[in-house]
Amino acid sequence: MAKILFNHVYKRYGKFKEVAVNDFNLQVEDGEFLVFVGPSGCGKSTTLRMLAGLEDISDGEIYIGDALVNDYSPKERDISMVFQNYALYPNLTVYENIAFGLRLRKLPKHEIDLSVKRAARVLEIDNFLDRKPRELSGGQRQRVALGRAIVRKPQAFLYDEPLSNLDARLRVQMRAEIISLHRKMEVTSIYVTHDQVEAMTMGDRVVVMNKGVIQQVDTPELVYNRP
Ligand code: ADP
Ligand code: ADP
């Protein structure tokens, strides 16, 4: 669990240096569930990717805990990210997909095995460990992607529109599961969505973005003017 700080962060893309993220300043508190919401193209995903180290920042500073991470690789940042398209390895089994990050970190086999099976049990995918992603439903695939994130305890979880590809019923169920995982793991989470209902129902606080800038940061009640 870590505090995260964005200090005057900018992202400019391409040779015309178009500004995708414009002077982003934010402190994310230990253990909070923060939602970035806003229309497509407003810079949510770019901001998340800069935090994860998947995208260079053009200007400014990002801190995770006390560490300035601008020059850290994604692995050094110790963050787990869940994507919309699941980003599973198609040729690996469910087990191997979940174990992948732990194997990269060269943890002992029995420790990996315990962690993978624990995560799979939590997500109720322990009956599918031998299957390949193509043999799973969308909801099951997203659970495997979540399994990969929760198989170890990172400094933070980042979610980039993780439920957009699911049907409405499953989306509601997975929202609740993600919040429940967040509480159980006692981790700091940032969740990107263009869906106001998700922002309203999931966020401890909501960051409203538009055209690369933060418009408002507040509790859902205040952002959406609900009692
Ligand atoms: P959101 O996640 O809110 O939909 P993005 O962060 O994906 O928004 O995009 C913000 C802006 O940056 C958009 O105008 C988008 O076109 C631009 N952008 C995103 N990725 C790239 C890229 N790799 N190259 C150039 N422009 C990009
Ligand atoms: P390696 O190829 O590196 O030896 P394996 O894929 O054989 O790794 O798996 C190592 C351990 O992981 C096995 O001993 C087993 O306990 C566990 N394991 C692998 N796949 C599964 C699975 N589908 N279900 C349960 N346990 C598995």
Side-chain angles (χ1 to χ4, degrees):
M1 181 146 65
K3 208 173 263 184
I4 292 165
L5 182 71
F6 294 88
N7 189 29
H8 298 294
V9 171
Y10 288 78
K11 179 67 183 184
R12 302 181 194 90
Y13 278 116
K15 68 174 179 227
F16 299 110
K17 303 280 177 223
E18 281 182 66
V19 182
V21 177
N22 191 350
D23 198 15
F24 192 95
N25 293 286
L26 183 72
Q27 181 164 320
V28 189
E29 302 301 337
D30 267 359
E32 88 170 313
F33 197 100
L34 189 74
V35 177
F36 290 177
V37 70
S40 177
C42 72
K44 307 181 293 295
S45 180
T46 298
T47 306
L48 211 61
R49 294 169 61 81
M50 288 192 288
L51 172 57
L54 303 175
E55 199 79 71
D56 287 337
I57 76 176
S58 306
D59 228 323
E61 297 168 327
I62 298 180
Y63 291 86
I64 301 176
D66 293 325
L68 175 65
V69 300
N70 286 26
D71 296 326
Y72 283 27
S73 71
K75 194 167 145 192
E76 289 168 320
R77 294 179 192 215
D78 190 24
I79 269 175
S80 288
M81 190 147 164
V82 180
F83 300 91
Q84 172 177 10
N85 54 6
Y86 320 123
L88 300 177
Y89 300 103
N91 295 323
L92 301 185
T93 64
V94 168
Y95 185 98
E96 292 161 339
N97 264 285
I98 297 176
F100 193 85
L102 302 182
R103 286 181 175 168
L104 271 187
R105 287 176 166 79
K106 304 217 184 306
L107 295 185
K109 250 187 178 175
H110 67 275
E111 218 172 279
I112 296 180
D113 198 48
L114 282 176
S115 302
V116 170
K117 287 174 181 165
R118 190 187 320 121
R121 250 196 320 275
V122 168
L123 290 158
E124 297 178 4
I125 48 175
D126 38 349
N127 290 330
F128 311 128
L129 288 174
D130 291 320
R131 293 205 201 161
K132 299 281 175 65
R134 67 170 171 279
E135 300 166 320
L136 301 174
S137 71
Q140 290 165 343
R141 282 180 207 171
Q142 193 49 286
R143 285 212 173 82
V144 178
L146 286 172
R148 238 174 25 183
I150 67 161
V151 72
R152 58 191 194 90
K153 188 167 171 171
Q155 303 249 38
F157 283 155
L158 309 184
Y159 299 91
D160 196 353
E161 307 246 6
L163 307 183
S164 312
N165 288 338
L166 303 181
D167 66 52
R169 192 187 54 81
L170 202 51
R171 214 178 307 142
V172 171
Q173 182 187 335
M174 294 297 290
R175 278 178 203 153
E177 282 188 26
I178 286 172
I179 294 296
S180 148
L181 285 175
H182 166 82
R183 306 268 179 248
K184 248 184 254 171
M185 301 282 294
E186 298 184 314
V187 74
T188 303
S189 301
I190 305 181
Y191 188 100
V192 160
T193 183
H194 60 264
D195 181 340
Q196 294 196 355
V197 176
E198 269 180 16
M200 202 157 55
T201 55
M202 297 179 81
D204 293 325
R205 284 193 304 159
V206 175
V207 177
V208 183
M209 293 182 70
N210 195 21
K211 297 183 180 161
V213 303
I214 296 181
Q215 287 194 316
Q216 191 181 358
V217 184
D218 242 316
T219 61
E221 290 76 15
L222 288 172
V223 168
Y224 295 106
N225 203 16
R226 298 285 162 95

